[in-house]
Structure formats: C-alpha cells, structure tokens
Amino acid sequence: MATMWTTRVRRATIEKIDPQDALPDNQPSYVASWIYVFGVLTLAALAVIIGSGLILTVRGASWWHTSGVGHYVNSVHLWAVELFFVFMVVHLWGKFWMAAWRGRRFATWVTGTFCFLSSLATAFTGYLIQGDFDSQWIATQAKDGLNSVGIGSFMNTLNSGQALLLHVALLPLGVGLIVVWHVILVRKNGVVPPLDAKEIAGGAA
Amino acid sequence: MSTKERNVDLAKWSGPKRPYDLVKELVIALVVVTLLIGACAAVFGSPDERAVTLQQWGQNAPSDFVATATGELAGSTISAGYGAPYNDAAEGLTLGPLKLQKWAGITIPVNPAEDFVLKPLKSSIDSAVPTAVATWSAASADQQAKWAEDYAAAIEKAGDSAKVVEDAAYGPVPVMTAALLHLAQEGSLDGLLTTEVTPLPSDFTMPLLFLADGGYFDELGAQQHLHGDQWGMMNETGSYPGQSWLWMFSFMYQIEPFKSSENADSQIFAMLFLLNLGFIFMPKLPLINRLPRLIPFHRLIWRRYYRENNL
C-alpha cells in the first residue's frame, strides 16, 4: 500500500496538516500588533481584485467605457489594486523589521517577494488593456525597456490581445498559486517569535 | 546568534498564547476593505482618457502627420532605425558586451516605409497615387532617401507641410503623404494598419509605432505629465496615483549615469534585476540582514511582549 501514489500524496500532504496549524484559534502571546493585520488586509484586497476582475472579464474589455456600472467596477478594480500594494508594502516592511525569515522561514520570505514581483507584472498588464490613452502611452514607453533586454521579442506591449490574455489567465494563476503557497508556509511555520525571545521561551528551545 | 536562540525561532511556540479568531479577522478585513475600496471608487472613480486614433492625429496635426510619414519613407524615424524586435536597422541597446536586444531576434517584423505608408496606399482611391507609388518603387534607395529627406527639410523650414511649395525635388513623396493623410483623416488608416493579419484585430503594434514616431502623440503625453522626465509611465492621466509601485524604475531615469546614457533602458533593467535579486535574497545579505537588530523597530512592534517580560 505504501507504494501507491495516492497513499504517498496523502501522507505528504493531508496527513502532515495539523488542523490547529491550518486554522488556529489561538496565537502566541506576542502576536499583538497592528502590523499583523496587513497580511490579511492584503488578502482581502486581493479578493476584491479577483471579484471585480471577474466581472470585468465576463462583461468584456470595452464594457467599462460605455457603462456607468462598468466604470464603477473598473474603479473598484483600480482602487483595490492601489490598496493591495499599499497593504502589501506595509506587510513587507513589517516582516523585514521583524526579521521574519528567522527559523527556517526563508522560503516564506522568498514566496512573499515573488507575490510582490508577480503582482507588479499583473498590474502592469492591466494598465496595458484599459483601451484608453494610458494604455497607449504605457505600451509605447514600456516597450523600449523590455526590448532593450530582449524580453520584448516575446512579450509585445503593443499587442493588446497578448496583454489581455496574460492579465486574465496566466499571471493571475501565477499570483494565486504563489499567494496560496505563501499562506501555507506561514501557517506551517507559525509566526516568527520576537527577536531575543530565547530567555522567555526557555523550555521551548 | 546563539544555538539556543535559533532553536527558539525554529521551535513550535510553547510559551503563553492568546485567543485569536483568524476567520473572524479575515471576514472583518474583507468587509472593511471592500467598503473602503467601494468608497474610493465612488469618490475618485478612475481615469478614462479616450485613446488617440490616427484619424485624430491626421485631423488635429496634419503637418506633423505628413512630416512623420515622410520620415518613415526617409528611414529617419524611431521605428525605422529601431532594431530588434522590429527590424535590423540598428544593433539595439547593449549591456556591456551583451547584445540582448539583438540576440533576441526580429520576432515582430516591421518595415515602417512599407507597412505604415506603401501598403495602406494600395487602398487609396486617389488617381495620382498608383503612378506616384510606381515612381517611388522604381527609384533607387538613394533617390528615395533624397526625395524624402528634401521634403522633410522643406516641411521643417516652412513650419507646415501645407506651406511647402511644389517642387520636383521631392519626387512622388508629397503625393504619397497627402494621400496617406487623406486615408487617416477619413478614418480608414486606423483599420488598414490593424487588419492585415485578421479583420478582428487585437494587435496594435503598427498604428502605435507610427503614432509614437510623431510629435502629436508625444505632445499629448507631455500635457498629461507622462514624459520620462515627468516620472513617465508611473503616472496616469489626471490626478490618479498610477503605478506608484514602479517608483524605483522611474526614479532611475531621473538620475545619472542613467539619465544621459544611450543604454539607459537596458542598464536600468539590469539594475532592477540585481536589486530584485537582493530583495529576494535579503535574508542572506550580510549587514542588510542585521538591520532589524541594529535599528530596533521590532521593539515597537513587540513592545507589549518586551514590556510584559521585562526585556
């Protein structure tokens, strides 16, 4: 039975998950600061981005130019992105000053940085597909940078169709997977203790 | 860092705990953030400056349009001398010995004189155009360049293409560019430059490259504070925050040595690549990874913990 692929996958995944780690109803006493809220605020803003993005996707790329409701949904999408980045940057700085990579949490930090960088790419393609002057300007300006290092030969900012598909399919999938991975690592490894907590933890070591 | 300390970081926390309702926190955050975003959207909205068309360019700045079309024929525009991925007119930007732009190859072939001017003219109903195009095609490359360069110089001297006096020195160029202008003004050029591959276009490479070669589009960008020296594409039209997260990217274009470098684009991309590597591997960087200890913001974050434990 141990050689069954299904058994191996179950042992490597589900059986390794402690329900108390996955959905804890308590946290170490040091988890008491507003800085901890910014991670969940980032996730909340991401949820609004996905929700408003799905509406825009269903109604089509030019809907928001002709409909008042569409324009509002587009505005929600825009401001969700703006706040998403604000929350994420505060979260990131918080984690830096907490040296949150300690205790084999380096992978958590790395997935966090990839969340940020993949979000930049996703937001950038969003600006390319608005179908307005901003899109035209950003596309014509950004092409030079991308072309200069060879990326432009494969990702053409002037091709709205390519940018649209990247924005609604490939990149959100990438961001989503990295965010899920990041959250799993956070839950698996727990919240990093305060710096110099060794004297207090005592027996925990 | 002592072994004991590392163990504390690694170990499952066995010290005091406090109730923490994660799901409740997420739901409250979702409600608050949704309301906040909804309010921002209602109060501030979002920019929607209408996209520029070739028709608009032809109608509002006909002289600039004709001068740009002449430049495409002369091979003197940005697109005509760009290099990869559009053509082999230039080596492209380099990064020291690395010719990344050139090595990536010509994957989006663009011949500005042919694609922006000669091909669209096949749809012109102006009876003088076939003869003008035939004259152009039969001429040597040097002759073509001389006609176009002379006409471009005449436009620049007159300040307006409409004021240039007819002269045989310009060959068929005035007829060709006037016919192209007419195609633009009546609105058909926008379609002609996008529908060659499919009548249902999603690729605007041709019209945008042509538009960006002209002064009209550039002027509109300047009016909307979108130029490179105005922090470029980080901004949006109107008074919106734009892509503020690209501040580092835009910032580098404002400072030396990048500001005056011919290879600024590739150099800045290389710098950002290195900075992002540093960002990803920050926990492994000497000194940087000590900053949280040296500058004790963590005392503020965990002040309750330190106070309660007399640390």
Side-chain angles (χ1 to χ4, degrees), chain A residues 39-59:
Chain A
V40 81
L41 287 177
T42 308
L43 288 176
L46 180 62
V48 179
I49 291 171
I50 293 170
S52 56
L54 283 173
I55 297 172
L56 291 168
T57 302
V58 169
R59 296 308 301 265

Side-chain angles (χ1 to χ4, degrees), chain A residues 115-187:
Chain A
C115 286
F116 181 74
L117 296 174
S118 58
S119 298
L120 288 184
T122 312
F124 171 68
T125 52
Y127 275 87
L128 294 177
I129 61 169
Q130 295 176 110
D132 57 9
F133 184 76
D134 277 320
S135 297
Q136 290 180 308
W137 185 264
I138 292 168
T140 53
Q141 297 298 299
K143 78 178 191 312
D144 297 328
L146 294 171
N147 289 341
S148 72
V149 289
I151 299 171
S153 288
F154 311 98
M155 198 274 153
N156 179 9
T157 59
L158 308 176
N159 185 339
S160 297
Q162 186 187 25
L164 179 65
L165 292 173
L166 286 173
H167 185 72
V168 303
L170 191 63
L171 290 171
L173 182 67
V175 171
L177 288 175
I178 296 168
V179 167
V180 168
W181 188 9
H182 182 70
V183 171
I184 287 173
L185 287 175
V186 171
R187 295 272 37 94

Side-chain angles (χ1 to χ4, degrees), chain B residues 159-172:
Chain B
D160 188 334
S161 61
K163 293 179 181 171
V164 176
V165 180
E166 284 187 33
D167 193 317
Y170 314 139

